[in-house]
Structures are given as structure tokens and as C-alpha cells.
């Protein structure tokens, strides 16, 4: 790969490894290539290594092995260049609660060397965005969880970052706030060429926002692609069956059927990829009866990112 | 280093909000002078050079050192809170030197100590302590207070960088704090100490800070200290080295935990 190509990547990792102890490999040889001006969603179950990956990319911790570049700069040797160009909201709340919302943003801007005029304008803009104008001069300790989260998002955007990292940014936000924040971020992406790496447990969010989705499990990227491509791999329709007894023979028989494309089991759910869900429903039910598999729930769905997630990690994406 | 000033400003502005902390910060040294100075006078003062009339004079610089230690301990608690609450992460991803994060904290500790030191001397004067009318000496005294404060702030920050709970922090700090304060000439004259403690006192930076302040700010500082004072330049050198070592320690511990 030549240099020009590389510089168009906002995030680039090669063989990234983070080992916390001999037996805890949080990130295991991860290669990421996130082009500038795109949105990358990192999905994975708890403990998969999402936060650790973000911590390395934001210069918070050092990797054990491999290399990482953010905004075109090495996260270890050019950490200051990276820091000037990123915005971050951490997974857990990180707020100086004794300060007012306005002070939080103001001190943040000052640490990045913004002038008073710049800060004032940006604070006004962001407070309006996150709808905290009225609470701006109250101490954050009086804020609700959602208000704190919104303030943190505003702080992450305070310094006009080139690359924004959001670790579960919309956890605890109501739908209306989520929508307005995503609209704003989309706007930034279009107008300012922002690159975004986020983790989320809301799959509609990932499906809607992300240009690329990476599914990470046990520190490894197990699947990557556009949401569309990943979903299309799942087959045309999915019949989801929940039930008990005779699961093994039932799934074995299913696999031998001609119209069945895929069969995945996990979390007590059997997912059957078929050519046409509505037509095959009856046949599946009959087969279940023949194998004395007791169906407690059955539904036909167009596959979603959640199904992709289940396929690769064997776990349901925590949702709603 | 401008980041250190920003963080310093942040800490100081919080003090304005906390009227109780402000009140405590101002009233505590006054209480020390009055209660300890007057109370111990009869007991310890007998052996004080010049007699017990001068015990308050003798002890003022010691109380300055004592409050500086107290201030550093409080600063360490603030740092521990910032670490455990994650606020430090915000500093760590900002384009600012690691050292300035610690310096900002140390500076706010020292600012408080300096204000307290001035207050202690004002109360002392009101109680009849004779001070040298030499602004240069006062300045020298402030430099020593600052240096000593930075050094001990460094130790407190180092401990607070390593330990993850307030209990462990206070335990460790207490063990460091006691000898620093009591194995020195801060509260009683050197020759009233047993021999082994006297040796301890002579390698204790507190002695040098206190003795230097005594010599420069108080009238008859030399007599107060029992005739033989440590030479002034040595006081400055020792305090400067202590300041640098203290911050160096904090820095190296902090670096190691954030790797
Ligand atoms: N400081 C640490 N010391 C030891 N182990 C750690 C540390 N931080 C993370 N880990 C371990 O590394 C693994 C990955 O953790 P990480 O926080 O990156 O997961 P995650 O994908 O963000 O999970 P979640 O969805 O719960 O936030 C976990 O097994 C975790 O226990
Ligand atoms: Mg996480």
C-alpha cells in the first residue's frame, strides 16, 4: 500500500494486541482500516475488547504489540498530534461534578488552547445542540444521567475533532435526544469530514449510522463489512424458533433441507436462513413436531444486524 | 506549562464554591497557633531557647510546615478522587504534558499553603511575635514554604497515584507524615531531642525549611533555633532538592500507572 492511500485512513491498526495479564488478552491481533469521513461501528458482547481498542486509539493506554495510527499519526510516538485531533466520550461517566456544565466545556476548551472567543461560540452552539442551555450554570452533580451524558457528548465535540470516539454514547438517552445527536453528527460528517468510531448496543443505530460494522469477540474481529453486506450473508429471510427438547436432531434435519441456507443456534434460539420465510413456516413446524421439538415461539423476520451478531458471537445483542 | 495553570485555576475556582473548605483552610492555622502555641508553651517552652515567652515565636515556622503537610495531604485526596472518578482520563487524552497535570495539582496545594502561612504569621504578630522587618526575608520564607509544599505535594501525589482507596492512602501518608513532622526542629528545639532523633532531624527536609523560615522571617531567629542555625544556602538547596525529588517521584509513579 502506498503512502497516499494510507493517509486517507483515519484509523489504522496492524496486529494490535493488548494483554493485561498472561491470560487476559483483551485485544487480539486486530487490523482496522477506517477511511476518513466514514462511520465505523464496533459491536461486540461485554468484555469483547471494544473499550480497550478505543483506549489504545485515543492514547490512553499502550498496546502490548502491533501498531496503531489515529488521524494519520502514531498513537505512541506522535501522541500529542493524535490528541489534538480527537474527541472522546468514555463509556463510563467522567465528569467533574463540582463544576457547572458551562465550566466543564470551558476548561476542556482551555486545555486544548482554544481562545475565549472560540470557546464562547462553541459552548453556545453545543449547549443548544444537547439542550442544556437552561441547566448550563448549574453544577453537574444536579444533572440527571441523560443530561450528564449529553454534556459529555458536547465536551467530545468541543474541540472540532477530526476523529471522534464514542463508547456507547447514547446509553441512557431518550429517543428524541438520540435522534438529534445523530443528526448533528451526520451533519458534521458531511460538512467537516468527521470520522467516527463508535460502540453501541443499539443495532438500529449501527445499521443506520455505520458505513462499516466490525463485530469483535474475545478481542478478535470476527466479521466486518457494510451493514447491508453482513445482513445479506444471512440469507433471504430468517425463521427464529425458540423451544425445547430434540434440538440436535431437529437442527440436523433442517440442515439437510434444500431450501434451508443456514442454521445457527445460540442462547436457546435457532435461526434458520431460508429462501422465503412465509412459505416455509409450515414445513419447519412439521419438522419440529416430527423430531418432538416443542416450539414455544416462532417468527419470521428479515434478517437484521442483530442476527448477524448472534451468528458470529453466539449471543444476543443487548437491546432496547 | 500553561495547562498546569489552567488546572490550577480550576482547583482554585472550586475552592470558591466550597465555602466550608475555604473556612476550614483559613481557620485551621489560626487554631493551631492559638491552641498549640499557647497550650504547649508551658510544657515544651521550658526548654525553649529564650524561655517559654518565646515558644510561640519558635513554633510559628513549625506550624507553617505542619499546615503545608496537611494541605499536601488534602491535595493528594483531590488527586485520588480525580483518578478514581476517571476525570484524569480527560486530562490524559488532552494534548498537554503529563507533568503539567501533576503540577497543576501541586500548585493549587502550594497556593493554599502559602495563604495559610501568611495567615499564621499575621496571627503570630497579633499574639506578639517579633518578626524581621525585611520583605526580602519574607520572600525567602515564602520560597521555602513553596518548595517544601511542592516536595511534600509530590510525595502525596505519588502515593495517591499508586493507591486506589482513601484508606490505604491515609495509612501510607500518615506513616510518612509523622516522622517528617516530629523528627524535625519544627515543634521543639533540636537539642531537646534524643540523639537518634536528632540525626533523623538533620536529614529531614522539614528541619531545613523550618530553620530557614525562622532565620529569615523572625527577629532573633538564630537565638530561637538554639544558637547554631543551619546555613541559609543549605536550607534553600535542601528544600529545592526536596521539591524536585518529590515531584520527580510523583511523575515516575504516575507514568508507571498510566502506561
Ligand atoms: N485494566 C484492566 N486490567 C485487567 N483486565 C482488563 C482491564 N481492562 C479490561 N480488561 C479485560 O479486558 C477484556 C476487554 O475489556 P473491554 O473493557 O475492552 O471490553 P468491552 O468490549 O468494552 O466490554 P463492555 O461491552 O462490557 O464495555 C475484558 O475481559 C476485561 O476484563
Ligand atoms: Mg466497554
Amino acid at each position: 500500500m502506498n503512502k497516499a492511500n494510507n493517509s486517507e485512513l483515519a484509523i489504522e491498526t496492524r496486529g494490535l494486541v493488548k494483554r493485561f495479564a498472561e491470560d487476559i488478552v483483551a485485544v487480539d491481533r486486530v487490523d482496522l482500516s477506517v477511511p476518513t469521513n466514514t462511520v465505523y461501528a464496533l459491536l461486540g458482547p461485554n468484555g469483547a475488547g471494544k473499550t480497550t481498542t478505543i483506549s489504545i486509539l485515543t492514547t490512553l493506554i499502550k498496546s502490548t504489540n502491533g501498531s496503531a495510527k489515529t488521524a494519520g499519526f502514531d498513537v505512541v510516538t506522535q501522541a500529542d498530534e493524535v490528541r489534538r485531533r480527537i474527541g472522546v466520550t468514555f463509556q463510563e461517566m467522567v465528569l467533574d461534578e463540582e463544576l457547572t456544565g458551562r465550566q466543564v466545556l470551558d476548561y476542556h476548551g482551555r486545555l486544548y488552547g482554544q481562545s475565549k472567543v472560540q470557546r464562547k461560540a462553541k459552548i453556545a452552539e453545543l449547549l443548544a445542540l444537547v439542550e442544556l442551555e437552561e441547566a448550563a450554570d448549574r453544577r453537574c452533580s444536579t444533572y440527571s444521567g441523560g443530561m450528564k451524558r449529553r454534556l459529555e457528548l458536547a465536551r467530545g465535540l468541543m474541540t472540532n475533532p477530526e476523529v471522534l470516539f464514542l463508547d456507547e454514547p447514547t446509553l441512557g438517552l431518550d429517543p428524541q435526544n438520540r435522534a438529534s445527536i445523530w443528526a448533528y453528527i451526520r451533519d458534521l460528517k458531511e460538512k467537516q469530514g468527521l470520522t467516527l468510531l463508535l460502540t453501541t448496543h443499539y443495532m438500529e443505530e449501527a445499521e443506520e449510522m455505520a458505513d462499516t460494522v466490525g463485530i469483535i469477540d474475545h478481542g478478535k474481529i470476527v466479521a466486518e463489512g457494510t451493514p447491508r453486506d453482513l445482513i445479506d450473508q444471512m440469507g433471504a429471510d430468517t425463521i427464529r424458533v425458540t423451544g425445547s427438547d430434540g434440538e440436535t436432531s431437529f437442527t440436523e434435519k433442517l440442515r439437510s433441507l434444500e431450501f434451508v441456507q443456514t442454521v445457527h443456534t445460540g442462547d436457546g434460539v435457532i435461526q434458520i436462513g431460508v429462501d422465503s420465510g412465509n412459505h416455509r413456516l409450515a414445513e419447519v413446524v412439521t419438522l419440529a413436531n416430527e423430531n418432538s421439538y416443542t416450539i414455544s415461539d416462532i417468527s419470521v423476520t428479515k434478517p437484521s444486524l442483530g442476527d448477524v451478531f448472534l451468528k458470529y458471537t453466539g449471543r444476543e445483542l443487548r437491546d432496547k | 506549562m500553561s495547562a498546569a495553570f489552567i488546572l490550577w485555576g480550576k482547583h482554585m475556582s472550586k475552592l470558591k464554591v466550597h465555602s466550608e473548605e475555604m473556612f476550614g483552610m483559613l481557620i485551621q492555622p489560626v487554631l493551631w497557633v492559638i491552641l498549640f502555641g499557647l497550650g504547649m508553651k508551658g510544657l515544651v517552652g521550658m526548654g525553649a531557647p529564650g524561655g517559654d515567652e518565646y515558644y510561640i515565636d519558635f513554633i510559628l515556622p513549625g506550624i507553617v510546615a505542619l499546615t503545608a503537610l496537611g494541605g499536601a495531604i488534602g491535595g493528594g485526596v483531590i488527586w485520588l478522587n480525580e483518578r478514581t472518578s476517571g476525570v484524569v482520563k480527560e486530562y490524559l487524552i488532552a494534548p498537554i504534558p503529563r507533568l503539567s497535570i501533576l503540577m497543576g495539582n501541586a500548585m493549587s496545594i502550594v497556593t493554599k499553603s502559602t495563604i495559610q502561612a501568611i495567615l499564621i504569621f499575621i496571627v503570630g504578630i497579633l499574639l506578639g511575635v517579633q518578626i524581621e522587618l525585611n520583605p526580602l526575608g519574607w520572600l525567602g520564607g515564602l520560597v521555602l514554604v513553596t518548595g517544601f509544599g511542592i516536595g511534600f505535594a509530590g510525595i502525596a501525589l505519588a502515593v495517591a497515584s499508586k493507591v486506589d482507596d482513601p484508606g490505604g492512602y491515609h495509612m501510607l501518608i500518615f506513616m510518612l507524615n509523622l516522622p517528617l513532622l516530629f523528627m524535625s526542629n519544627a515543634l521543639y528545639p533540636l537539642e531537646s531531642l534524643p540523639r537518634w532523633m536528632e540525626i533523623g532531624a538533620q536529614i529531614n527536609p522539614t528541619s531545613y525549611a523550618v530553620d530557614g523560615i525562622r532565620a529569615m522571617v523572625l527577629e532573633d531567629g538564630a537565638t530561637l533555633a538554639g544558637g547554631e542555625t543551619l546555613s541559609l544556602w543549605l536550607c534553600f538547596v535542601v528544600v529545592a532538592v526536596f521539591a524536585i525529588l518529590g515531584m520527580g517521584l510523583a511523575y515516575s509513579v504516575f507514568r508507571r500507572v498510566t502506561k
Side-chain angles (χ1 to χ4, degrees), chain A residues 86 124 221 298:
Chain A
I86 60 174
I221 301 282
I298 187 162

Side-chain angles (χ1 to χ4, degrees), chain B residues 81-207:
Chain B
N81 282 337
E82 288 195 324
R83 271 187 60 236
T84 47
S85 70
V87 171
V88 168
K89 282 195 200 171
E90 185 195 344
Y91 308 152
L92 286 176
I93 59 154
I96 57 175
R98 294 303 195 248
L99 188 58
S100 70
I101 304 174
L102 287 169
M103 281 310 289
N105 200 307
M107 277 158 53
S108 52
I109 293 174
V110 168
T111 307
K112 292 175 197 169
S113 303
T114 309
I115 295 171
Q116 289 178 315
I118 293 169
L119 205 68
I120 288 167
F121 273 98
I122 292 174
V123 176
I125 292 166
L126 293 180
L127 289 176
V129 170
Q130 304 279 312
I131 70 159
E132 195 99 54
L133 291 174
N134 175 9
L136 220 62
W138 301 346
L139 197 70
L142 283 183
V143 170
L144 286 180
V145 173
T146 308
F148 179 69
I150 290 181
F152 199 72
I155 294 177
L157 294 176
V159 175
S161 295
K162 186 83 194 166
V163 177
D164 283 325
D165 68 301
Y169 170 77
H170 281 295
M171 185 66 221
L172 261 171
I173 282 291
F174 189 65
M175 274 164 34
L176 287 168
N177 191 2
L178 274 187
L180 268 177
L181 190 63
F182 287 102
M183 212 187 278
S184 78
N185 61 0
L187 306 177
Y188 22 73
L190 272 187
E191 55 268 35
S192 65
L193 295 172
R195 184 81 191 118
W196 66 273
M197 271 178 81
E198 198 184 326
I199 294 169
Q202 273 172 356
I203 53 168
N204 183 350
T206 314
S207 299

Side-chain angles (χ1 to χ4, degrees), chain A residues 58-62 80 83-84 88 90 92-96 98-99 107-108 110-112 139 155, chain B residues 3 6-7 9-10 13-14 17-18 82 85-87 89-96 98 258-259:
Chain A
T58 57
T59 76
L60 206 51
I61 61 173
K62 290 203 177 84
D80 255 15
R83 290 177 185 142
R84 264 189 266 280
V88 184
F90 302 100
E92 74 280 8
M93 217 70 86
V94 174
L95 272 183
D96 204 326
E98 292 171 32
L99 300 178
Y107 279 117
H108 191 75
R110 280 161 81 164
L111 285 179
Y112 287 73
R139 286 168 72 178
R155 186 180 61 193
Chain B
I6 295 167
L7 295 176
K10 177 169 151 177
S13 78
K14 279 193 193 172
V17 185
H18 288 283
E82 288 195 324
S85 70
V87 171
K89 282 195 200 171
E90 185 195 344
Y91 308 152
L92 286 176
I93 59 154
I96 57 175
R98 294 303 195 248
T258 55
K259 73 167 185 301

Side-chain angles (χ1 to χ4, degrees), chain A residues 228-268:
Chain A
R228 199 66 268 149
D229 286 349
L230 288 175
I231 291 166
D232 284 347
Q233 285 173 16
M234 294 296 294
D237 282 346
T238 303
I239 299 178
R240 288 167 61 98
V241 190
T242 321
S244 48
D245 313 324
E247 185 177 312
T248 335
S249 62
F250 177 42
T251 50
E252 241 167 58
K253 292 272 162 45
L254 279 172
R255 285 202 173 90
S256 65
L257 290 178
E258 185 226 329
F259 62 84
V260 170
Q261 295 159 350
T262 55
V263 179
H264 294 290
T265 57
D267 272 6

Side-chain angles (χ1 to χ4, degrees), chain A residues 46-47 49-52 91 167-168 199:
Chain A
N46 291 140
K50 304 179 295 292
T51 300
T52 307
Q91 179 171 4
D167 201 349
E168 299 201 30
T199 74

Side-chain angles (χ1 to χ4, degrees), chain A residues 173-182:
Chain A
L173 293 191
D174 59 41
Q176 182 201 340
N177 274 312
R178 272 163 70 187
S180 70
I181 281 160
W182 286 127

